[in-house]
């Protein structure tokens, strides 16, 4: 089971943390396969240009929270995980605020270096990098981070496993040291 929730009434709380152009959300999944459990993923949703068109883009914030179906967990255990979601969003917003202060000298190359570091697919980052290069004037790591999420849109129809893997890899970009990747070579 998969469910996505948005909390537009909480956008002001997110804005107070420095992220004024996004709405907080929550992605819930549960399954009985592999590490069966109930999983929560904090998200942020915003509109941005993808191939010249405005689209809603969702990014993951932090790691997912999971309550396994085994070990006699119950609803109260899941409720404790739910209480931690806003902390994930808050931590994510603080990381994004840090990214706003990092000016990029070689934005196009930095984008591709980060995509390579995160083991993202080859074709889709090039498409998203074009969006980034066209739209970003005096770009920051914050701008780059959001454009990485366009890659998910460019995946089109692919397996759920591939989509989730790409999303998880992109979510790690918030914590990178961008100075390492902001170089004029691959």
């Amino acid at each position: 089971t998969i469910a996505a929730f948005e909390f537009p009434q909480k956008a002001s709380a997110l804005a107070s943390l420095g992220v004024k152009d996004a709405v907080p959300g929550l992605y819930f999944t549960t399954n009985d396969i592999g590490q069966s459990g109930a999983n929560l993923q904090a998200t942020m949703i915003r509109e941005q240009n993808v191939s010249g068109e405005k689209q809603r883009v969702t990014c993951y914030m932090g790691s997912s929270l999971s309550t396994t179906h085994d070990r006699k967990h119950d609803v109260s255990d899941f409720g404790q995980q739910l209480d931690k979601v806003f902390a994930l969003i808050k931590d994510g917003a603080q990381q994004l605020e840090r990214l706003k202060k990092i000016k990029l000298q070689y934005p196009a190359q930095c984008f591709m270096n980060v995509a390579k570091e995160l083991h993202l697919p080859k074709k889709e980052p090039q498409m998203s990098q074009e969006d980034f290069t066209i739209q970003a004037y005096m770009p920051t790591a914050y701008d780059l981070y959001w454009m990485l999420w366009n890659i998910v849109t460019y995946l089109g129809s692919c397996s759920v496993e591939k989509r989730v893997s790409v999303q998880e890899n992109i979510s790690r970009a918030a914590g990178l040291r961008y100075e390492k990747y902001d170089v004029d070579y691959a």
Side-chain angles (χ1 to χ4, degrees), residues 130-186:
E130 289 176 21
D131 291 338
F132 176 60
T133 307
I134 290 169
Q135 296 173 41
Y137 174 76
M138 305 277 294
T140 64
Y142 176 83
D143 301 314
L144 188 150
Y145 177 79
W146 277 105
M147 283 298 164
L148 284 170
W149 287 97
N150 284 11
I151 293 169
V152 176
T153 303
Y154 285 121
L155 288 173
S157 61
C158 66
S159 70
V160 172
E161 292 83 9
K162 180 176 181 177
R163 184 173 303 278
V164 168
S165 175
V166 168
Q167 289 170 320
E168 287 175 355
N169 288 347
I170 293 172
S171 70
R172 295 189 352 244
L176 292 178
R177 286 186 38 242
Y178 280 81
E179 301 81 15
K180 177 179 175 183
Y181 307 99
D182 190 20
V183 293
D184 65 349
Y185 57 87

Side-chain angles (χ1 to χ4, degrees), residues 11-28:
S12 59
L14 202 53
S16 70
L17 297 171
V19 182
K20 297 179 173 76
D21 52 358
V23 172
L26 178 66
Y27 193 67
F28 167 79

Side-chain angles (χ1 to χ4, degrees), residues 23-84:
V23 172
L26 178 66
Y27 193 67
F28 167 79
T29 61
T30 185
N31 66 63
D32 288 326
I33 303 168
Q35 294 180 334
S36 62
N39 310 295
L40 297 168
Q41 178 69 58
T43 63
M44 289 188 200
I45 304 105
R46 79 176 205 172
E47 279 195 8
Q48 58 189 46
N49 285 319
V50 180
S51 284
E53 294 181 22
K54 284 273 190 195
Q55 291 193 27
R56 292 168 42 84
V57 175
T58 301
C59 77
Y60 286 5
M61 300 309 300
S63 57
S64 65
L65 302 170
S66 183
T67 304
T68 59
H69 291 318
D70 60 356
R71 297 188 207 126
K72 299 182 180 167
H73 287 133
D74 60 19
V75 175
S76 66
D77 295 319
F78 179 75
Q80 291 173 3
Q81 294 291 57
L82 195 55
D83 290 340
K84 297 175 186 175

Side-chain angles (χ1 to χ4, degrees), residues 68-131:
T68 59
H69 291 318
D70 60 356
R71 297 188 207 126
K72 299 182 180 167
H73 287 133
D74 60 19
V75 175
S76 66
D77 295 319
F78 179 75
Q80 291 173 3
Q81 294 291 57
L82 195 55
D83 290 340
K84 297 175 186 175
V85 170
F86 189 72
L88 282 180
I89 292 174
K90 183 178 178 182
D91 291 345
Q94 290 170 343
Q95 285 184 328
L96 292 181
E97 194 62 25
R98 177 187 66 83
L99 296 181
K100 288 179 181 180
K101 298 172 185 163
I102 303 171
K103 305 281 187 221
L104 301 177
Q105 300 296 313
Y106 305 98
Q109 193 59 50
C110 184
F111 188 97
M112 296 310 290
N113 289 338
V114 167
K116 184 176 180 181
E117 174 67 20
L118 298 174
H119 305 289
L120 300 177
K122 303 268 188 257
K123 182 178 78 171
E124 291 82 1
Q126 290 175 342
M127 297 162 67
S128 188
Q129 187 240 16
E130 289 176 21
D131 291 338

